[in-house]
Amino acid sequence: MLNYDFGHQVTVERSGKIILGEVDIQLRTNHPYPESKLFEYRVYKEDDLAVFRMDSFSPFNEYNKKVIQNFFETVKKEGVHQVAIDLRYNDGGSTMFGDYILSFLEIPSYRNLKTAVRYSTVVSQRVTGKPTEKEEMLYFDSGLVPVQPHENTFKGKLYIITSQDTYSAATALATVVKDNAIGMIVGEAPGGKPSSYGDILSFELPESKLRLFISFKWFERPSITLKNRYEDAAAGHLRSDHIRRSGAGTRSATGDDQEADPRGTPTRAYTAFIEVTCLRTNTDRVPAPFTTVLSRPRYL
């Protein structure tokens, strides 16, 4: 049994013995989040660029949808040909934000994330309200998601800005954009992985009253098939300890170099990061006005 109070006192009972102790819990980050989350945009007409800073993908409601719609209406009105979605401080939320943003782009369709859901009595009760005794793993593939053109469709270039503080649904948007060759990802490699667990259930332990969170869903990036993912995992080939850099190939599980995929997407299931064009070292690949705007004090 473990008892923990907020005075950092910990009491552990093990094999009939009582152990007393203290703990010091500290959270550290090299790039702390801003005190207030921003959800606003700015148009730099002289630079032919509009930047929308989104520090959160929650809540997904009519107000936030209207702000996004106003952004693309403004982009069209001002005749801007470059759009940057700044997700550097976005720790996630609803993936429906990403779907809504993509609905404003001039693309015929795109492949979304695939999911593997582990259903059990607890999950079915929490998610559907109808408990089932059957435990099973269900796989879902959205296939091609069609995008219908409309009066505010954006026809220019798209950039997604990420950092090591970009997580969850924000990383998911960058992943979908990258794997479908919709736009360029710039900045730093996201803190979240393109394929990862999500959709959590919370529980409270009866004795310690500590709250625990556990995921019941696996999200898979569009460029990888779930079948290949589980075959590789079963065979012991799954790797996630390397980062792809712009213009470079990957390293295989055996350490051999592989050619980069022409579309910039991973060539093996165990590629666990998004290819990112670093603004500091690859400025030749990013339009000059873009890097100029981002270097201004407003975006430091």
Side-chain angles (χ1 to χ4, degrees):
M1 181 176 65
L2 173 66
N3 294 319
Y4 172 72
D5 62 32
F6 293 97
H8 303 294
Q9 295 291 328
V10 175
T11 303
V12 178
E13 181 179 339
R14 181 181 301 164
S15 301
K17 296 181 179 179
I18 302 297
I19 304 174
L20 302 178
E22 294 185 0
V23 295
D24 182 18
I25 300 177
Q26 297 181 355
L27 300 178
R28 298 185 178 91
T29 175
N30 292 329
H31 300 278
Y33 289 99
E35 293 184 0
S36 61
K37 291 184 178 294
L38 298 181
F39 195 81
E40 62 180 27
Y41 59 84
R42 192 176 219 183
V43 176
Y44 301 89
K45 192 170 183 179
E46 69 278 9
D47 296 309
D48 194 27
L49 174 68
V51 179
F52 197 146
R53 176 168 166 176
M54 301 181 182
D55 289 351
S56 176
F57 275 173
S58 180
F60 183 69
N61 55 25
E62 291 302 317
Y63 174 81
N64 285 333
K65 288 171 63 177
K66 185 61 177 177
V67 175
I68 295 173
Q69 179 182 327
N70 290 343
F71 169 70
F72 284 102
E73 288 177 350
T74 303
V75 166
K76 181 178 181 180
K77 179 181 178 181
E78 298 293 338
V80 174
H81 299 91
Q82 297 178 108
V83 161
I85 307 297
D86 189 348
L87 304 178
R88 285 180 290 177
Y89 298 106
N90 193 313
D91 56 358
S94 172
T95 55
M96 290 188 288
F97 269 90
D99 297 335
Y100 192 65
I101 292 170
L102 294 177
S103 73
F104 286 91
L105 304 183
E106 189 184 36
I107 52 177
S109 60
Y110 64 93
R111 286 196 173 277
N112 213 332
L113 300 172
K114 298 176 286 292
T115 57
V117 183
R118 181 185 178 185
Y119 274 98
S120 64
T121 302
V122 175
V123 172
S124 60
Q125 175 65 50
R126 295 283 190 94
V127 176
T128 68
K130 299 179 181 179
T132 177
E133 297 301 325
K134 185 178 181 181
E135 294 193 4
E136 58 184 342
M137 183 77 76
L138 300 179
Y139 304 94
F140 301 93
D141 189 335
S142 63
L144 288 175
V145 180
V147 178
Q148 300 297 329
H150 50 80
E151 59 180 351
N152 295 314
T153 295
F154 175 63
K155 301 179 180 180
K157 295 181 178 180
L158 175 69
Y159 300 92
I160 303 293
I161 316 171
T162 60
S163 76
Q164 63 181 7
D165 294 320
T166 303
Y167 289 99
S168 190
T171 298
L173 173 58
T175 301
V176 171
V177 168
K178 182 62 185 178
D179 284 5
N180 288 275
I182 295 173
M184 178 182 287
I185 315 301
V186 297
E188 298 176 305
K193 294 182 179 180
S195 297
S196 63
Y197 292 97
D199 277 12
I200 59 175
L201 299 176
S202 63
F203 301 89
E204 182 178 280
L205 298 181
E207 298 294 337
S208 66
K209 305 303 179 183
L210 292 174
R211 295 202 66 81
L212 301 181
F213 300 88
I214 186 169
S215 170
F216 64 91
K217 184 180 293 185
W218 172 261
F219 291 90
E220 192 69 72
R221 68 185 306 172
S223 64
I224 299 172
T225 65
L226 285 168
K227 182 175 182 294
N228 286 343
R229 158 67 70 171
Y230 289 104
E231 284 181 349
D232 278 2
H237 297 319
L238 202 61
R239 288 287 294 273
S240 61
D241 58 357
H242 65 279
I243 301 176
R244 294 201 58 204
R245 295 300 181 186
S246 178
T250 63
R251 292 190 66 81
S252 71
T254 59
D256 300 325
D257 290 327
Q258 296 182 354
E259 293 296 326
D261 184 83
R263 296 178 57 213
T265 55
T267 56
R268 289 288 295 171
Y270 46 74
T271 300
F273 293 86
I274 303 175
E275 180 186 5
V276 174
T277 299
C278 180
L279 290 176
R280 298 176 181 175
T281 60
N282 293 283
T283 53
D284 56 317
R285 293 191 57 191
V286 182
F290 183 78
T291 55
T292 301
V293 168
L294 290 181
S295 66
R296 294 173 181 170
R298 179 183 176 85
Y299 284 98
L300 288 179

